[in-house]
Amino acid sequence: MRFLHTADWHIGRRLHGYDLTDEQQAAFQQIEQLALTEKVDGVIIAGDLYDRSMPAESSVAQLNQMLQQLNLVDKLPIYAISGNHDSAIRLATGTPWFKSTRFYMHTKLAQAFQPIELPDTQVFLLPYFEPFDAQQYFNDDQLQHLDQAFVPIVKKMVSLFDPAKKHLLVSHFFVDGSSTTDSETQLKVGGLAAVPVGLLESFDYVALGHLHGKDALHAPNARYSGSPVKFSLSEANQKKGVFIVDTDPFNLTFRPLTPIRDVQQLTEDFATLIDPHFYKALNLDNYFGITLNDRQPIPNAMPRLRDIYPHIISLDRANGYDTEIEDSGESGDQIRQKDPMDLLGDFYRQVAKDDLSPQQIKWAKEALKIANDGGKRS
Amino acid sequence: MRFLHTADWHIGRRLHGYDLTDEQQAAFQQIEQLALTEKVDGVIIAGDLYDRSMPAESSVAQLNQMLQQLNLVDKLPIYAISGNHDSAIRLATGTPWFKSTRFYMHTKLAQAFQPIELPDTQVFLLPYFEPFDAQQYFNDDQLQHLDQAFVPIVKKMVSLFDPAKKHLLVSHFFVDGSSTTDSETQLKVGGLAAVPVGLLESFDYVALGHLHGKDALHAPNARYSGSPVKFSLSEANQKKGVFIVDTDPFNLTFRPLTPIRDVQQLTEDFATLIDPHFYKALNLDNYFGITLNDRQPIPNAMPRLRDIYPHIISLDRANGYDTEIEDSGESGDQIRQKDPMDLLGDFYRQVAKDDLSPQQIKWAKEALKIANDGGKRS
């Protein structure tokens, strides 16, 4: 059988204040088209459908429309679970009815042991859970950590295996360790709450959600699909997309998605950034994280860059600021007795390496007059 | 056909801070039993299923369970609409799937013109809407008020009438005016946003939600079912329940619900309230609004009443307080020169008609000492 594996849609998420609704909608439409053209037998969504446990109405409307489109219009089966960002209770609304059109949304640990029986495949949908849920379910308060809880969970699933079928697991958590046969990416992911990848070896494929990069784990039988959209500058170099998973023979194909606006990091001198020869080669509509190599003050840097790059999501310095102020040799008492306009002129010269312009002097004098008049404007 | 008409469940509502979850669950179970024993062809819920547009997780879990029980376990059709307390968008989650088991939940104005076609009845489900929605739908910005909007709405519904069938409307709004042939209750309900009852005469029955008393309107063909639970002291004298509606021949039967704890108003002297001969005749587990006839101060009135009536939701005075302070004849200057302990003793005597006890004097002296020492406790 053939599945499309996606996860971490995070509907409602914003990128440094920018609304991502259109970006997420565009990614969804590509996922939908891929599912149709690849003629998949179902779409796997491995958790974190929403960005928040209490999503805004606009997010609810958007996700509802997406799921209706896939399942009711396109007639695609959906295999979904709740992630740690979702409210399992809210996401459970309507789920008993969804099954009638092969839309399976599991939100409770107990449902992980009710595999979806397909002609040649069993699909186990294990939603995000806390160790406490496992303690309750197995009546065993020794299950303090996720890796401990996974032992009886996998054991119970294996006991339900139909040996004539392939076995798929859909889950949402940190997996510790990656295949040592994969030289391309040797990532160790997660920490305390991580589950050893070895615990997952009973499954033909484990469709994971939680980490947003498709390369977070390279195990022979387990992958994160990653999010369909870049959600932070740290994801600038990630390639976003979905996996097309064939179960027999097993085959994994990554299919990239094209963003409306990519997220891009620029580390350059200011002079380069405002040089048309440089920026005309870029898609200026992208989201840019800009890091300046310059150390000196640059007046109005942000507005000047925004004129060229309208969607700047961060601006910082690679080498810090040139903040050395030359010692004028004057004492505190001497400085305090200087004319305020002279003081301002000295300060501006030190910081901006330039004299105040006649217009700046006029503004400063007006401001000083207002201050001396007790704040009253004429 | 036979329907059960209920409305205004307001799941998540509290009564003066008291959780009503158990009360609402008990009312639901009686509604469910009535629907089963009366063998109704469907349950009508005329809006305000939730108390808030953003219900708590516990409320979502409770309502989801109720609707699943009625529709999926008891196999009862449900005819429901969103009310002004509901988020139409959130309540729409899953609704396209619900129809497969004859659970109809309409949340958009456009859905009002898609009647549910039963063998001998058309059910029009008109959710709560704002005049703006009607302006958009009919492309007519003259529809400024609800009564104006109702004219084209009813006209469009009537154009869809199958003359061989009965016509039911389920709606959630204020209806202005009641039948003049009904001498029992002549209530005029609502204000600016009210809809004249005459506009509803085309329907065989209008199952209304919004007002919490079943007697808010006595029209020949339109009723409020009222809420299944008392939500305020002003509803103390209302009888809560549901209507059983037969369409052919038309018949309306009110079926009361029994609360776990009733809401009751007591207006009595304090001495009566604490007299066992009085209170032993009451169900002390009820919620009580208590109004004292007494005018004089009663020390620790609330804790003393709570010992007898554990669920007091309000305590006030019918005749105000006896606050006359006798004029001692002393001038302001004279009073300011008095010893603070003497002043306190005078004040206590005037308000409480009693002398300070030795223990009270001890506490007051200690407090004065701390105040005189600049607030430092020894």
Side-chain angles (χ1 to χ4, degrees), chain A residues 46-48 81-86 88 106-109 125-131 133 146 170-174 193 209-210:
Chain A
D48 283 0
I81 55 171
S82 47
N84 57 310
H85 276 249
D86 300 307
H106 284 192
T107 59
K108 294 184 192 118
L109 177 55
L125 300 176
L126 171 62
Y128 175 78
F129 64 95
E130 300 280 353
D133 303 313
L146 211 60
V170 179
S171 195
H172 189 96
F173 58 91
F174 277 111
H210 191 42

Side-chain angles (χ1 to χ4, degrees), chain A residues 151-301:
Chain A
V151 175
I153 286 173
V154 170
K155 192 177 166 200
K156 180 152 183 164
M157 286 178 177
V158 169
S159 76
L160 298 166
F161 274 13
D162 177 343
K165 294 186 180 182
K166 298 288 180 184
H167 309 105
L168 248 62
L169 173 63
V170 179
S171 195
H172 189 96
F173 58 91
F174 277 111
V175 173
D176 194 3
S178 62
S179 163
T180 52
T181 60
D182 187 325
S183 58
E184 183 192 356
T185 309
Q186 291 282 350
L187 282 177
K188 184 159 172 165
V189 171
L192 271 181
V195 173
V197 71
L199 269 179
L200 307 175
E201 62 190 6
S202 308
F203 297 93
D204 294 284
Y205 184 64
V206 184
L208 290 163
H210 191 42
L211 299 178
H212 293 179
K214 74 171 173 65
D215 295 311
L217 179 79
H218 279 215
N221 70 329
R223 292 293 178 104
Y224 290 98
S225 65
S227 58
V229 167
K230 293 181 183 179
F231 293 131
S232 74
L233 197 55
S234 68
E235 295 170 44
N237 294 324
Q238 291 180 4
K239 191 75 208 157
K240 296 299 189 183
V242 301
F243 280 113
I244 302 295
V245 185
D246 289 301
T247 56
D248 198 12
F250 180 72
N251 187 52
L252 213 53
T253 311
F254 181 75
R255 299 295 304 265
L257 303 175
T258 306
I260 303 175
R261 293 184 183 128
D262 205 356
V263 175
Q264 209 171 337
Q265 170 67 45
L266 300 176
T267 304
E268 300 289 346
D269 292 343
F270 187 80
T272 305
L273 289 165
I274 62 172
D275 179 352
H277 291 102
F278 174 78
Y279 66 70
K280 283 203 170 154
L282 300 174
N283 178 355
L284 295 175
D285 207 33
N286 283 349
Y287 296 109
F288 287 101
I290 294 182
T291 301
L292 298 172
N293 291 325
D294 316 72
R295 286 176 53 82
Q296 81 281 13
I298 301 166
N300 299 318

Side-chain angles (χ1 to χ4, degrees), chain B residues 341-358:
Chain B
M341 282 306 301
D342 290 345
L343 267 177
L344 182 65
D346 290 352
F347 177 73
Y348 190 79
R349 214 168 292 119
Q350 289 201 333
V351 173
K353 316 289 178 203
D354 201 358
D355 288 324
L356 288 165
S357 71

Side-chain angles (χ1 to χ4, degrees), chain B residues 262-275:
Chain B
D262 206 356
V263 175
Q264 210 172 337
Q265 170 67 45
L266 299 176
T267 304
E268 300 288 348
D269 291 343
F270 187 79
T272 305
L273 289 166
I274 62 172
D275 179 351

Side-chain angles (χ1 to χ4, degrees), chain B residues 16-55:
Chain B
H16 291 263
Y18 287 103
D19 187 302
L20 289 178
T21 303
D22 291 347
E23 202 62 65
Q24 289 169 312
Q25 198 66 35
F28 167 77
Q29 283 161 0
Q30 292 172 69
I31 291 171
E32 183 196 6
Q33 280 312 307
L34 276 169
L36 293 172
T37 55
E38 296 280 355
K39 299 191 194 321
V40 301
D41 298 298
V43 174
I44 292 167
I45 315 175
D48 283 1
L49 285 78
Y50 285 117
D51 191 49
R52 301 175 184 199
S53 65
M54 215 187 248

